[in-house]
Amino acid sequence: MAKYLLLKHYRGAPAAVNDVPMDRWTPEEVDAHIRYMTDFADRLRGTGEFVAEAALAPDGLWIRSDGEGRPPVTDGPFAETKDLIAGWMIIDVDGRERAIELAGELSAAPGKGGEPIHEWLEVRPLYGEPPLVTE
Amino acid sequence: MSAPLDDAVDDAVDDAVDDAVDDAVDEALVRGLVPGVIGVLVRRGADFAAAEDAVQDALLEALRTWPADPPRDPRGWLVTVAWRRFLDATRADAARRRREDRVDEEPEPGPVPAADDTLQLYFLCAHPSLTPSSAVALTLRAVGGLTTRQIARAYLVPEATMAQRISRAKRTVAGVRLDRPGDVGTVLRVLYLVFNEGYSGDVDLVAEAIRLTRQLAAAVDDPEVAGLLALMLLHSARRAARTAPDGRLVPLAEQDRSRWDTAAITEGVAVLQAALARDRLGEYQAQAAIAALHADARSAEETDWVQVVEWYDELLRLTGSPVVRLNRAVAVGEADGPRAGLAELAGLDPTLPRYTAAAAHLHERDNDLATAARLYAQAAREATDTAERDHLVRQAARLNTLFRA
């Protein structure tokens, strides 16, 4: 019983095996990819392991406080930000092995030529609650 | 009705139920009746999954209607309503006619005493074919009488996810017959998980785990069940003292022992002593004995660390667990000095959870503050919950501040 965040990157992850930008796929290949992602989430709903997911738009801003009484400073969007997250999914699974297994499946979503993309996904454990018994 | 509208209606109903529960119904009393009522339906020929669904429906209705209209015989009321729900569900769905046929074909199970019904449910819900998270969810619903929504909130997942987890678990155990004794050990592991790994939702899972273990101890004569009950009582007795008002974790040595729950400690020690007298030692009794030694000490300094180490030796003999070996090393550090503790630690796998934190603590006690500070910072990065992470960061910061002064 542990929660994990699966992170998909637009940029910043090591190169995928089937590394062709999505706009160079056929429309059918795009459909197949999206269907795979939807089916994956539905399957996790069915196994009782799904918590939440979201896709993120690439346009973002950097914001920081500029001191009391002043509006926050904004910067960006930066077209060349090295690390750009495309989306995330939170799963609730029995352990690390299962999280790795599921991330592996998600990474095999079909891309160009209907072949699995084999893209790199980042898997991050969420902090849990402190156990009562530690001694 | 569209699915979102269904959800909205469900939410409204659940909110009404939550309010009702807050208002009047003795929820623990109602929940205590649930396993027995499931047992009645199963003996009348319902399969477990259908019986459990029907009783959950009846439970929701009870929580909704009892505050205004309490029944004279709550158990009888639940049996009547649940049985009616079961018949409705069986008749309503044509596809389920097959099940009716099967019920007709199968020989009626012989009469079983009611106390055994509950015990059989514990075994079924902790069946070895279930994953730990499924067993926990199913136990809380069928034995604990919690609603799916309460369980979902306790484990911070969407209600739909928890509902799926529970129905899959029920399908997994669909073929298991309720007429054979199971393995008490698997049940204890599930109850221990409920006790030790819950979040703090609107249901107190620690109290719930104690209630379910107490109920199990009444149904089965096994010193390890008593051992687990004692362990839970002794650890939960320190609960109020282990968190400061600002939420930070207070380590055992620094806890205000006047805030420990002495009634729970007294009961825990009595339960443990009765179990130990049976002379069938197991891991939960040994763990409880360690907790009892801590509970018995008026201050951290007065702890009988030599005895604590002896109990860790027993626990190690029983489990062979590397985590026990690590905890034993810390106890040795208290009994024989930090060098002895570090020597014990040297033989262990550094990737064990809390290894680095234990090493940091022992180095600090050995006055090697630079090493301790470095290890506290590393341990903070390895922590798996924020309370422990923050505690370890504070330890590192405290030592680093000393260096700068």
Side-chain angles (χ1 to χ4, degrees):
Chain A
M1 285 180 289
K3 291 188 176 63
Y4 287 87
L5 174 70
L6 311 184
L7 276 177
K8 194 179 157 89
H9 293 246
Y10 285 122
R11 286 196 297 271
V17 174
N18 184 7
D19 194 17
V20 182
M22 221 166 165
D23 55 13
R24 311 272 172 80
W25 303 358
T26 67
E28 292 74 24
E29 285 163 359
V30 173
D31 290 347
H33 178 81
I34 290 166
R35 198 160 51 239
Y36 185 97
M37 306 301 278
T38 314
D39 289 351
F40 181 82
D42 282 347
R43 195 154 51 80
L44 292 198
R45 287 188 180 90
T47 57
E49 294 172 309
F50 178 86
V51 178
E53 70 172 335
L56 304 180
D59 287 343
L61 292 173
W62 288 92
I63 316 267
R64 72 162 175 82
S65 140
D66 200 30
E68 210 174 323
R70 298 157 70 100
V73 184
T74 67
D75 206 354
F78 302 108
E80 297 306 318
T81 304
K82 271 205 323 214
D83 193 11
L84 190 60
I85 291 162
W88 54 265
M89 181 184 284
I90 295 176
I91 57 175
D92 186 49
V93 291
D94 269 300
R96 189 167 176 269
E97 290 73 28
R98 178 66 177 158
I100 291 171
E101 181 187 352
L102 289 174
E105 285 178 29
L106 191 58
S107 156
K112 180 72 186 163
E115 293 298 313
I117 302 175
H118 295 299
E119 67 184 321
W120 290 94
L121 297 176
E122 195 178 347
V123 178
R124 301 275 302 274
L126 271 65
Y127 281 124
E129 286 288 295
L132 213 51
V133 183
T134 52
E135 70 213 22
Chain B
M1 234 192 279
S2 69
L5 196 52
D6 275 342
D7 288 345
V9 170
D10 282 349
D11 281 352
V13 168
D14 282 336
D15 286 339
V17 169
D18 289 345
D19 292 346
V21 171
D22 292 341
D23 280 349
V25 178
D26 182 348
E27 202 189 334
L29 175 123
V30 185
R31 287 203 254 121
L33 298 171
V34 162
V37 176
I38 294 176
V40 170
L41 265 64
V42 168
R43 267 182 291 139
R44 287 185 185 176
D47 66 66
F48 165 68
E52 204 277 330
D53 272 339
V55 174
Q56 173 90 181
D57 281 353
L59 171 74
L60 289 170
E61 193 168 327
L63 296 173
R64 198 160 45 226
T65 61
W66 287 9
D69 185 16
R72 209 175 306 163
D73 172 12
R75 185 185 150 95
W77 188 99
L78 281 174
V79 169
T80 306
V81 173
W83 183 246
R84 202 159 57 221
R85 290 296 170 93
F86 166 72
L87 292 179
D88 288 350
T90 310
R91 287 194 196 108
D93 192 348
R96 295 201 182 163
R97 208 163 294 148
R98 282 192 299 275
R99 178 192 294 140
E100 275 188 330
D101 292 343
R102 208 173 61 221
V103 169
D104 288 342
E105 287 159 16
E106 273 178 22
E108 281 285 305
V112 187
D116 280 0
D117 288 345
T118 302
L119 187 55
Q120 294 303 336
L121 273 189
Y122 276 96
F123 289 136
L124 185 70
C125 295
H127 196 267
S129 60
L130 295 168
T131 61
S133 53
S134 316
V136 161
L138 192 55
T139 298
L140 286 174
R141 209 174 102 140
V143 188
L146 294 178
T147 65
T148 302
R149 184 184 228 207
Q150 286 173 317
I151 304 167
R153 282 183 179 173
Y155 290 98
L156 302 182
V157 300
E159 191 174 348
T161 293
M162 191 50 79
Q164 284 298 328
R165 195 178 291 177
I166 290 167
S167 39
R168 269 175 75 92
K170 284 160 72 171
R171 283 201 297 278
T172 303
V173 297
V176 178
R177 289 197 57 121
L178 275 170
D179 56 359
R180 267 174 227 107
D183 176 6
V184 176
T186 61
V187 176
L188 295 182
R189 272 191 290 280
V190 169
L191 295 175
Y192 184 85
L193 271 181
V194 173
F195 178 77
N196 207 30
E197 290 192 9
Y199 294 83
S200 32
D202 52 348
V203 175
D204 182 351
L205 287 180
V206 169
E208 186 61 12
I210 291 174
R211 186 180 76 81
L212 295 181
T213 307
R214 204 188 281 284
Q215 186 175 274
L216 179 65
V220 65
D221 181 25
D222 184 322
E224 271 296 83
V225 179
L228 180 60
L229 178 59
L231 172 69
M232 289 176 172
L233 289 166
L234 290 164
H235 276 279
S236 73
R238 298 186 217 145
R239 231 171 145 199
R242 77 194 284 268
T243 327
D246 63 1
R248 74 169 69 182
L249 221 52
V250 184
L252 179 57
E254 291 161 30
Q255 285 174 14
D256 174 0
R257 297 183 177 216
S258 70
R259 297 185 65 206
W260 286 0
D261 178 349
T262 48
I265 290 173
T266 306
E267 189 195 353
V269 168
V271 170
L272 173 65
Q273 280 171 341
L276 290 174
R278 307 276 302 277
D279 207 19
R280 278 163 55 204
L281 189 63
E283 57 176 304
Y284 294 113
Q285 293 169 76
Q287 264 188 278
I290 293 164
L293 286 169
H294 288 304
D296 197 38
R298 269 175 303 176
S299 68
E301 297 73 40
E302 287 176 55
T303 309
D304 188 344
W305 286 106
V306 174
Q307 265 213 72
V308 171
V309 172
E310 285 170 7
W311 276 110
Y312 273 123
D313 288 337
E314 289 288 349
L315 194 52
L316 196 54
R317 188 177 56 74
L318 290 162
T319 65
S321 150
V323 174
V324 170
R325 222 179 276 273
L326 176 67
N327 289 333
R328 183 182 172 281
V330 175
V332 168
E334 301 292 340
D336 302 334
R339 293 282 166 88
L342 285 166
E344 293 288 333
L345 212 58
L348 295 177
D349 177 1
T351 64
L352 279 170
R354 294 201 178 75
Y355 175 96
T356 315
H361 173 72
L362 288 167
H363 278 291
E364 181 181 1
R365 287 189 35 109
D366 194 34
N367 271 320
D368 181 357
L369 301 188
T371 305
R374 182 177 55 74
L375 289 173
Y376 276 129
Q378 186 191 330
R381 289 190 294 276
E382 295 168 1
T384 56
D385 62 82
T386 51
E388 191 185 343
R389 179 198 62 187
D390 297 348
H391 170 70
L392 292 166
V393 166
R394 269 189 215 102
Q395 299 290 76
R398 176 176 53 81
L399 294 182
N400 286 327
T401 308
L402 280 179
F403 298 145
R404 279 198 300 273

